[in-house]
Amino acid sequence: ASEWPFVTMKGYETIVDVLSRSGSHDNMGFAPIVQAGEEQSNWEDFAYDYFDTRISNDGWPDMTGINKFGRGIWRMKKTENGTVRIPDNDDVTLERGILTPIIQCCVDNPGDPILLFNLYSERVRRETMNGIIECSKTMRQSFGQTQENLYESCWGMTEFVRIIRFNQVQASSSIMFAPIYPADAPWEVSGFILAIGLV
């Protein structure tokens, strides 16, 4: 068995396909929490091994997970020439401490260019995830290690944001984040499932 966060969700595409029949849920994603630094580097190697397997076995595009700057988790940066993708592996990354890169998403477009975007790099998304993490800490203090009320409380939705995947110019969509808790550590947020609410 793999150790977190070096995991993908077996059957992810099937689950999302079934959910998408009940609404617009094909825009879902899975993003584990990855610690900045050494774990990030090791996790990126894991992600590219996963992508290579999907390229070989499932016909994903050869450049899956690769940007103009090369390989790695990325974030957006505003420049005088517009917004560009940059590697998310500098002092800003280390100061934040964690990353939440998208490892699986977009059943409508396997190998989508949004893969490895660090959701935690963007302020509104980060604030929503931090709120879920803080809520989970509060619930852990209230309920301890019991799983009572585990899936009832700590989820969040962003204010309107710009969806990078769709090259939106204006902030006109929300993203719902649901926490992932390990079976042996209730209330310990280890990643997120996200779904876009398009307007």
Side-chain angles (χ1 to χ4, degrees):
S2 299
E3 287 191 30
W4 200 272
F6 302 91
V7 298
T8 56
M9 293 176 61
K10 186 175 181 180
Y12 174 84
E13 288 84 1
T14 303
I15 294 166
V16 174
D17 181 57
V18 170
L19 287 172
S20 70
R21 294 180 201 162
S22 66
S24 179
H25 299 295
D26 53 351
N27 294 306
M28 296 178 71
F30 166 49
I33 292 176
V34 176
Q35 301 299 315
E38 184 178 347
E39 184 175 83
Q40 176 182 350
S41 177
N42 293 334
W43 187 89
E44 287 173 343
D45 291 341
F46 160 80
Y48 284 103
D49 287 345
Y50 169 72
F51 294 154
D52 287 345
T53 299
R54 297 307 300 263
I55 290 165
S56 298
N57 297 342
D58 301 313
W60 282 24
D62 289 341
M63 298 298 286
T64 297
I66 300 174
N67 288 286
K68 288 182 181 177
F69 65 78
R71 295 165 58 117
I73 298 169
W74 58 277
R75 70 175 187 256
M76 301 297 288
K77 181 178 182 179
K78 290 183 181 178
T79 69
E80 58 188 40
N81 297 322
T83 304
V84 297
R85 295 177 177 205
I86 63 167
D88 202 348
N89 60 1
D90 57 13
D91 289 342
V92 173
T93 312
L94 290 172
E95 184 177 317
R96 288 187 186 133
I98 66 171
L99 304 95
T100 55
I102 300 171
I103 181 78
Q104 288 175 292
C105 80
C106 319
V107 295
D108 60 328
N109 186 28
D112 195 278
I114 197 66
L115 291 171
L116 300 189
F117 171 58
N118 177 20
L119 296 158
Y120 202 75
S121 66
E122 193 273 324
R123 181 190 59 81
V124 174
R125 291 166 173 86
R126 182 171 58 251
E127 288 173 355
T128 301
M129 288 182 276
N130 282 342
I132 293 168
I133 291 168
E134 289 306 311
C135 171
S136 296
K137 288 178 182 175
T138 300
M139 296 300 274
R140 184 171 55 238
Q141 290 171 351
S142 298
F143 295 105
Q145 293 299 311
T146 68
Q147 295 194 18
E148 183 180 345
N149 301 318
L150 187 59
Y151 296 102
E152 295 179 10
S153 303
C154 298
W155 61 275
M157 184 167 277
T158 66
E159 59 188 66
F160 278 176
V161 294
R162 188 175 68 84
I163 303 301
I164 295 165
R165 179 175 183 231
F166 301 134
N167 297 316
Q168 288 182 337
V169 177
Q170 295 181 335
S172 59
S173 303
S174 292
I175 304 173
M176 187 192 83
F177 286 89
I180 297 171
Y181 302 118
D184 61 346
W187 306 111
E188 183 77 31
V189 180
S190 58
F192 298 93
I193 297 292
L194 54 137
I196 299 171
L198 298 174
V199 178

